[in-house]
Every structure is written in structure tokens, then in C-alpha cells.
Amino acid sequence: MKKAIGITGGIGSGKSVVSSLLRILNIPVYDADAASKSLLSTDPDLVSSLKRLLGEDIYEGDVLNRKKMASMIFSDKELLAKVNALIHPAVISDFRRWAENQGSSLVACESALIYESKMNDLFDAVLMVYAPEQVRIKRAIARDAATEEQIRARIQNQMSDEQKKSMSDFVVLNDDEHALIPQLQDILDRI
């Protein structure tokens, strides 16, 4: 029986760094964000459901008009919930298929939305990557070429770090002062 761990954390926390380290340790990691973007154009059921919900013109040929979708859903929380109710199950199914095809007895899934999408039930353990807010903002500004205000707005739209910490089995401190590999090795030994 395969074991699965979830990796979550807020914007700029360092989820991708932790995922990269796990890959170096030969643990396959599913990138839920990348998978969801792919599924939006490759999963025929998801595509047809989104067209029914948002209108046929949400796709230009086979390409989702992401800006149009974003402008529709981020100003309408009810519509956002409906879109997420279509996307999250597709990602969960895709993760299950992916995990079954991995040759490893331990797999991981990186997703900022593990709790929001109810994916946490898929995992034997969830580890939250934590960094102080100022560190996260600095990283996200550098990575996304965004303003501090834009990053703060994204943070406000995410579940709080305190909520995620309280729900997670493990916390990895990624504050640029504590080494990540010993923390990860300790968690892997305990899993």
C-alpha cells in the first residue's frame, strides 16, 4: 500500500523548494497547480462543464481564456465555489491515477489548497511549509514581479497560516535560517 503526503503552505512559503528536495530524495511529487492548469484543457468532462457554467466563449478553440475566467470568478464568490467544485474533483481523480502509476511506496502532492479542496483525506500526513509573512512577501514579489499590495491581496484570499498549521501533521520551517533537509528527513523517518 502506497503512502501519500500532502505539501501545503501559503504563497511564497517554499512549497516548491520542499517538493524539489523530496524529488532529489526519489519521492515522486504531483504538482496540483500544474495539473489543474493542464486538466482545464485536456479533461473533456471538465472542459464541457466549464463551458456550461461560464459560457461557450470561455474557451477560444481549445484554449481557456484564463483572464476572462479570473475576472468572472474573483468578483463572484458563489461562481468561484462552483468552478472549484468542478476543478477540485478532477484534480483529485488525476492525482489518484498518477499515484497508482508511481513505482515508489511513498508519493507526495504539492498544493496550496489541500484543505480548501478537501484533498487532505487522501494523505497519510500533511506537511505545511511555513515562513514568516515578510519573508513570503519578499519571495513572492521577486518571483512574480508583483507589488507588495498584490501579494498581500493574494495572502488575504488564502487560508491563514495559523489554520493550516493547526490542521497539519508536520510543519517545515522555511525562514532562510533553518536547514530544510534535516527537517524533511526527520518527518520522513516518522512517516
Side-chain angles (χ1 to χ4, degrees):
M1 182 80 174
K2 279 188 205 305
K3 285 195 172 191
I5 56 174
I7 304 160
T8 195
I11 185 171
S13 62
K15 294 179 299 295
S16 296
V17 171
V18 168
S19 294
S20 294
L21 291 172
L22 290 174
R23 286 184 186 102
I24 290 168
L25 296 171
N26 294 316
I27 297 168
V29 181
Y30 179 88
D31 182 338
D33 187 47
S36 70
K37 287 177 181 155
S38 172
L39 291 168
L40 287 168
S41 56
T42 61
D43 182 317
D45 294 334
L46 181 57
V47 169
S48 65
S49 295
L50 284 171
K51 284 180 179 179
R52 276 195 304 279
L53 179 64
L54 303 174
E56 290 287 326
D57 62 341
I58 199 67
Y59 282 85
E60 296 163 1
D62 293 335
V63 180
L64 175 66
N65 184 333
R66 291 180 190 282
K67 284 188 179 180
K68 182 175 184 174
M69 183 172 84
S71 71
M72 292 171 76
I73 64 177
F74 290 120
S75 60
D76 183 338
K77 288 197 182 286
E78 191 176 309
L79 189 57
L80 173 61
K82 288 178 180 178
V83 168
N84 284 338
L86 296 172
I87 296 172
H88 293 161
V91 172
I92 289 169
S93 294
D94 191 59
F95 169 74
R96 285 186 168 133
R97 280 189 299 275
W98 173 88
E100 284 306 311
N101 290 319
Q102 301 307 305
S104 175
S105 61
L106 177 63
V107 296
C109 173
E110 175 190 337
S111 173
L113 303 175
I114 282 177
Y115 295 111
E116 297 89 335
S117 64
K118 312 280 189 265
M119 284 183 82
N120 50 303
D121 293 339
L122 298 173
F123 307 116
D124 296 283
V126 175
L127 74 88
M128 186 230 178
V129 183
Y130 173 80
E133 188 170 292
Q134 273 312 116
V135 172
R136 294 171 52 205
I137 290 169
K138 184 177 161 193
R139 288 175 184 160
I141 288 171
R143 180 191 69 200
D144 298 346
T147 67
E148 182 171 342
E149 294 75 29
Q150 290 170 320
I151 300 303
R152 285 190 183 281
R154 289 190 216 167
I155 288 172
Q156 292 305 311
N157 284 325
Q158 294 184 336
M159 181 183 286
S160 78
D161 281 354
E162 296 312 310
Q163 284 178 286
K164 284 187 181 186
K165 269 182 172 179
S166 70
M167 298 168 77
S168 297
D169 300 291
F170 302 100
V171 176
V172 173
L173 181 56
N174 185 21
D175 60 358
D176 298 331
E177 294 178 23
H178 293 81
L180 292 175
I181 292 175
Q183 292 181 74
L184 286 175
Q185 196 58 61
D186 179 56
I187 290 168
L188 293 173
D189 290 345
R190 291 161 65 188
I191 295 174

